[in-house]
Amino acid sequence: MERITIISDFCYPNFAGGSSKHVFDLMINFPQEKFEVKLMTREKSPDSNYLANDEQAEDHYVRMFREGRVKEFSIPAIFNPFKYIQFLKGADYVLLQYPVMGVIGGCMAKLMKKKVMYHYHGPIHIEYKYKTGKEGVRYRVLWMIQKFTAMLSDKILVHSEYMKDIAVKEHGIKESKFDTVPPYIDKTLTVDTPAESKNDNKKIKLLIPRRLTARTGVLEFLGQFLKIDERVKEKFMIYVTGCGELTSEVEKMARENPENIEYLGFVSYERLRELYGEVDSVVVPTLDLEGCGLVILEALSCGTSVLVSKTCGGGYEFVKKNVGKEYIFDVFDRKSIAEVLEFISGKPKTPEFYRNIASDFDIAKMIGHYTNNILT
């Protein structure tokens, strides 16, 4: 049996978001008869804006914790390198998922002669700039932490060519170190919704399932949507899910425009699965740094169309190649948004068309890529 230790500051459901959900998916999907997978992560903060209210995932996480597969760190403890040794001792491979705990745990792993891989989910210094608008000392420290994490790692993992290009540009990583992990969906999230159930002769339903942060473009999309011609706007109802530092602003927009916007709060993956089947299209209006956009595949697998911004990075690449350029819009241009909404209102494809696109992407293939290509 091979032993894997994952080091990640964030793990779902303690923290909502695609990269933290990826950590959770790795923990529960490696075949247990062949791999022993453990996790070192930050302890849950009850005051966090990103806490996921998902009882099913919480039950699974608590079970892993009780089994001794999860070690939680307080904020002061993550800076003590000796705290990492116990979980690293028996590891054959160390997977770093975020560079704050990653740089410390990675250094210890290299000293212990472990093979270290780092999943580059995005440049954290630019994420910080989007959130704060600052480029001061902390901005430069975050850049250095990520640079050093990449330098000490034997392989750099990404979900798309777009994110590889970002990593090369921002941190000067050699292209020979990269391995692209295929995007994937959890097939348990898929629903088989008949096309007629989405057409109830009422408003066309759009869903934006995003973390509510500066880079995900939710406020920008909603702001432009509210400016489009009333004859187009009145056809649509937008449902927003998620949590983050912009929650109060989304709530305010929904209160002021109840005929077009409804904020549902954070929803569990079980409820999200149902929503994918109920809506006509999922909107991903990201401004920057989207490595893949797993919600795109999740929506397609439920037979639901997707609309993405041209600044959606890896998600833009995927939709342009596999779905069509007609599904792409400029998040800063209300004319572009109106055009893509008019396009989707005509229901250009059947649910089966979208399901077929997603059919080749599942967790088993993603895990197989790890076992056959990365962990060698």
Side-chain angles (χ1 to χ4, degrees):
M1 178 175 288
E2 295 188 285
R3 294 173 173 82
I4 302 168
T5 293
I6 300 172
I7 302 177
S8 177
D9 288 69
F10 308 113
C11 180
Y12 189 86
N14 291 354
F15 191 90
S19 57
S20 57
K21 180 60 166 56
H22 180 63
V23 174
F24 183 79
D25 290 338
L26 290 176
M27 287 294 296
I28 66 177
N29 284 287
F30 268 101
Q32 294 186 10
E33 68 276 9
K34 295 181 180 179
F35 295 92
E36 180 184 77
V37 186
K38 294 185 176 183
L39 169 68
M40 289 187 278
T41 189
R42 293 189 195 184
E43 63 184 6
K44 180 190 299 185
S45 171
D47 301 322
S48 172
N49 288 325
Y50 302 102
L51 191 62
N53 183 21
D54 188 331
E55 291 184 5
Q56 186 177 31
E58 180 70 21
D59 289 345
H60 213 133
Y61 180 88
V62 169
R63 185 162 62 250
M64 292 189 293
F65 182 86
R66 289 174 177 169
E67 291 170 350
R69 295 179 56 204
V70 177
K71 179 178 177 62
E72 292 187 340
F73 288 66
S74 65
I75 295 298
I78 69 175
F79 298 103
N80 183 346
F82 299 104
K83 295 283 187 180
Y84 295 77
I85 293 176
Q86 182 180 358
F87 261 34
L88 289 173
K89 276 183 179 178
D92 299 298
Y93 304 98
V94 178
L95 303 182
L96 312 178
Q97 296 286 329
Y98 195 82
V100 177
M101 287 184 69
V103 72
I104 300 168
C107 285
M108 297 304 293
K110 292 302 287 186
L111 289 172
M112 298 168 72
K113 303 188 184 305
K114 307 295 182 181
K115 189 161 187 178
V116 177
M117 278 74 71
Y118 167 44
H119 196 136
Y120 189 103
H121 290 287
I124 58 173
H125 62 295
I126 298 182
E127 287 259 13
Y128 171 77
K129 180 181 176 182
Y130 266 107
K131 185 175 180 178
T132 66
K134 298 177 181 179
E135 292 187 35
V137 173
R138 188 171 181 181
Y139 174 89
R140 291 189 286 273
V141 169
L142 290 172
W143 180 90
M144 287 188 290
I145 288 173
Q146 196 160 24
K147 172 72 172 179
F148 192 67
T149 304
M151 288 175 60
L152 64 83
S153 300
D154 299 295
K155 286 185 180 181
I156 306 296
L157 313 180
V158 290
H159 273 312
S160 64
E161 286 294 308
Y162 164 82
M163 192 53 70
K164 183 183 83 169
D165 293 342
I166 291 285
V168 171
K169 176 185 175 182
E170 293 295 329
H171 289 101
I173 302 170
K174 294 180 180 179
E175 294 204 20
S176 59
K177 293 184 74 171
F178 285 94
D179 191 300
T180 301
V181 179
Y184 65 93
I185 51 171
D186 183 346
K187 289 292 180 70
T188 64
L189 287 177
T190 62
V191 294
D192 190 11
T193 306
E196 58 269 20
S197 70
K198 298 188 181 194
N199 185 5
D200 55 10
N201 295 318
K202 296 180 181 179
K203 287 192 175 185
I204 298 165
K205 293 175 278 221
L206 307 177
L207 174 66
I208 306 179
R210 307 296 290 151
R211 272 198 303 146
L212 303 180
T213 66
R215 76 164 184 85
T216 54
V218 177
L219 292 183
E220 286 77 7
F221 179 85
L222 294 177
Q224 293 296 331
F225 168 81
L226 292 172
K227 296 175 184 176
I228 65 177
D229 190 283
E230 191 65 36
R231 290 171 295 179
V232 177
K233 186 172 65 175
E234 68 182 5
K235 300 178 185 178
F236 294 88
M237 185 69 191
I238 301 177
Y239 300 95
V240 182
T241 70
C243 56
E245 65 264 21
L246 301 181
T247 296
S248 61
E249 295 181 57
V250 173
E251 288 176 327
K252 182 174 183 291
M253 294 183 83
R255 284 195 306 271
E256 294 174 352
N257 302 276
E259 67 282 358
N260 291 114
I261 303 171
E262 183 176 348
Y263 175 58
L264 302 178
F266 180 84
V267 301
S268 69
Y269 269 84
E270 183 177 4
R271 176 58 183 142
L272 188 59
R273 172 181 60 195
E274 296 170 349
L275 286 172
Y276 285 142
E278 294 170 5
V279 302
D280 297 280
S281 192
V282 167
V283 181
V284 187
T286 310
L287 303 183
D288 201 0
L289 308 181
E290 192 71 65
C292 177
L294 297 181
V295 295
I296 294 171
L297 274 172
E298 291 170 357
L300 292 171
S301 70
C302 294
T304 302
S305 64
V306 290
L307 306 176
V308 304
S309 63
K310 67 179 185 180
T311 49
C312 193
Y316 163 81
E317 289 178 351
F318 181 89
V319 170
K320 183 180 179 181
K321 177 181 177 181
N322 296 284
V323 188
K325 61 181 178 14
E326 303 88 357
Y327 295 79
I328 296 167
F329 61 89
D330 183 343
V331 72
F332 297 106
D333 185 345
R334 64 176 179 268
K335 180 181 178 182
S336 172
I337 291 174
E339 288 174 352
V340 80
L341 293 182
E342 288 279 41
F343 167 75
I344 207 66
S345 69
K347 300 188 183 299
K349 299 292 182 180
T350 65
E352 194 59 33
F353 170 81
Y354 302 119
R355 289 192 195 98
N356 285 339
I357 294 171
S359 61
D360 285 338
F361 301 89
D362 61 24
I363 284 182
K365 287 189 177 181
M366 182 270 290
I367 294 294
H369 186 82
Y370 266 95
T371 58
N372 298 326
N373 300 85
I374 297 172
L375 305 180
T376 57

